[in-house]
Amino acid sequence: MPELPEVETVKRGLTAPLLGASLDHVTLFRPNLRYDFPKDFASRLNGRRVLSLERRAKYLLIALDSQDIWVTHLGMTGRFKVHGADEAHTKHAHMALHFSPKAGGGSGQLSYIDPRRFGFMLLLSPDELYQATWYASLGPEPLSEAFSGDYLYEALKTKTSSIKALLMAQGLVCGLGNIYVCEALFAAGLHPEASGKTIGREACHDLVVAIKAILSRAIEAGGSSISDFAATSGELGYFQHQFSVYDRKGCACIRSGCHGVIERRVHQGRSSFYCNGCQKI
DNA sequence: CAAAGCTCCTGACCGC
DNA sequence: TGCGGTCAGGAGCTTT
């Protein structure tokens, strides 16, 4: 399930083949993912050149020389795969794109594969993107300086929702999903159901440090490969082997001196994993 | 307005 | 072995 480190891994993997490349021919194998593909999607991509690839939150932003920005969200199981131009597409491939790399050397193919189809793609002008409510309401990037302990403390002090729900909502800080929120809350010693406004300034500082550290380590590891995530080369990330709590129900807490056990509990339809010894409300 | 609930989808997994 | 039921989960939308 792609969160910030997985999308960052995809962006880095796509940059070498796609930056400066010409998009020669787009084929859609169905009319929609989570939403319909944009009207004229293929014709607006065909013949364009890629000017830049960026990531914002969990969105991949590919700027084209037509001024359009091709926005992709990978949802739960979306992934891009770069492969040979003649290679047949696999099951659940919903889009294929033949491209000519900037450096020459023939052509390649980019496939978008998404079994559950929770992903989606948009094609927007910069104004449309920046003015879109969903985009404008994204919180700061967690790895930016704007995301500080003081910022988090000020943002939390009026919130009654649980810290877990707040961190996952994208408006306070973006890019986090269930896995990295569970891991960060463990690292900071905070209970997932603790109300936002009960978290003090020092704990906010610790939490910010934990979030930045975990995301950085996960990016270095090429993300976490659970569910279907893989890099564009097909290579798997390996951060899932470093989880402290996620999917470790019943395991002993790894924190030295803690004799707690990892519990799994569902709140708000999402599973939380936390240590019953060192993560107190 | 804030917060909680619902919804989309299909592969994996479980119990019988 | 096969079948049906349940679950996972991002984020926009709806309801409270």
Side-chain angles (χ1 to χ4, degrees), chain A residues 39-74:
Chain A
K39 197 172 186 308
D40 306 325
F41 181 74
S43 63
R44 284 168 68 184
L45 256 60
N46 288 340
R48 300 329 322 181
R49 201 164 58 82
V50 173
L51 297 185
S52 68
L53 296 94
E54 303 291 338
R55 178 197 56 74
R56 171 79 172 109
K58 303 174 194 173
Y59 296 89
L60 178 68
L61 309 175
I62 300 179
L64 308 176
D65 64 356
S66 57
Q67 305 299 320
D68 279 335
I69 300 175
W70 173 16
V71 180
T72 299
H73 193 293
L74 300 172

Side-chain angles (χ1 to χ4, degrees), chain A residues 113-145:
Chain A
I113 301 152
D114 190 352
R116 289 183 214 179
R117 305 205 304 274
F118 270 29
F120 56 91
M121 295 185 186
L122 306 170
L123 211 46
L124 302 171
S125 70
D127 279 351
E128 287 172 325
L129 176 62
Y130 302 141
Q131 288 167 21
T133 309
W134 61 266
Y135 190 83
S137 61
L138 288 171
E141 286 287 325
L143 293 174
S144 71
E145 285 186 22

Side-chain angles (χ1 to χ4, degrees), chain A residues 65-183:
Chain A
D65 64 356
S66 57
Q67 305 299 320
D68 279 335
I69 300 175
W70 173 16
V71 180
T72 299
H73 193 293
L74 300 172
M76 287 286 299
T77 54
R79 65 189 184 94
F80 281 106
K81 183 182 175 190
V82 175
H83 53 101
D86 299 328
E87 195 174 317
H89 43 265
T90 54
K91 194 180 178 187
H92 300 305
H94 307 307
M95 184 214 75
L97 164 64
H98 284 84
F99 65 91
S100 302
K102 183 186 184 185
S107 61
Q109 190 174 180
L110 176 73
S111 291
Y112 178 75
I113 301 152
D114 190 352
R116 289 183 214 179
R117 305 205 304 274
F118 270 29
F120 56 91
M121 295 185 186
L122 306 170
L123 211 46
L124 302 171
S125 70
D127 279 351
E128 287 172 325
L129 176 62
Y130 302 141
Q131 288 167 21
T133 309
W134 61 266
Y135 190 83
S137 61
L138 288 171
E141 286 287 325
L143 293 174
S144 71
E145 285 186 22
F147 185 58
S148 65
D150 285 344
Y151 162 82
L152 185 62
Y153 177 72
E154 294 300 323
L156 287 180
K157 69 182 184 184
T158 59
K159 306 288 187 189
T160 57
S161 296
S162 69
I163 182 62
K164 180 164 183 226
L166 291 164
L167 291 177
M168 287 183 62
Q170 309 302 308
L172 205 143
V173 58
C174 71
L176 299 175
N178 201 28
I179 293 172
Y180 296 111
V181 167
C182 288
E183 293 296 314

